[in-house]
């Protein structure tokens, strides 16, 4: 028998499009100001997009706070 290659863990696909128009042009501080007004479903989308892209901790931390609270 031939040796098998180790299994590669499945990685979720990164969201391809910004969560909303103009998102990529906004500074982290501007995005953080908007987050409290968004529904949880959108917060999850933004978190996925930010995690897969720039990974700005300010935004990710605020989303975590809002989702926990």
């Amino acid at each position: 028998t031939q040796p098998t290659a180790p299994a590669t863990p499945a990685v979720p696909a990164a969201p391809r499009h910004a969560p909303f128009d103009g998102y990529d042009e906004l500074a982290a501080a501007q995005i953080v100001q908007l987050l409290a007004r968004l529904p949880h479903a959108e917060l999850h989308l933004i978190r996925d997009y930010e995690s897969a892209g720039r990974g700005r901790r300010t935004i990710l931390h605020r989303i975590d706070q809002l989702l926990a609270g």
Side-chain angles (χ1 to χ4, degrees):
T1 64
Q2 294 180 342
T4 58
T8 304
V11 176
R16 292 188 177 108
H17 301 289
F20 54 83
D21 288 339
Y23 180 90
D24 290 326
E25 286 76 38
L26 295 175
Q30 293 171 302
I31 294 170
V32 167
Q33 290 177 351
L34 302 172
L35 295 175
R37 296 183 236 157
L38 300 176
H40 280 199
E42 285 195 45
L43 293 176
H44 285 286
L45 290 174
I46 293 170
R47 187 173 209 313
D48 291 345
Y49 182 79
E50 193 65 41
S51 293
R54 294 172 69 181
R56 294 177 281 185
R57 290 180 291 178
T58 305
I59 295 170
L60 296 172
H61 179 69
R62 183 62 181 139
I63 290 172
D64 289 343
Q65 287 178 326
L66 291 167
L67 291 174

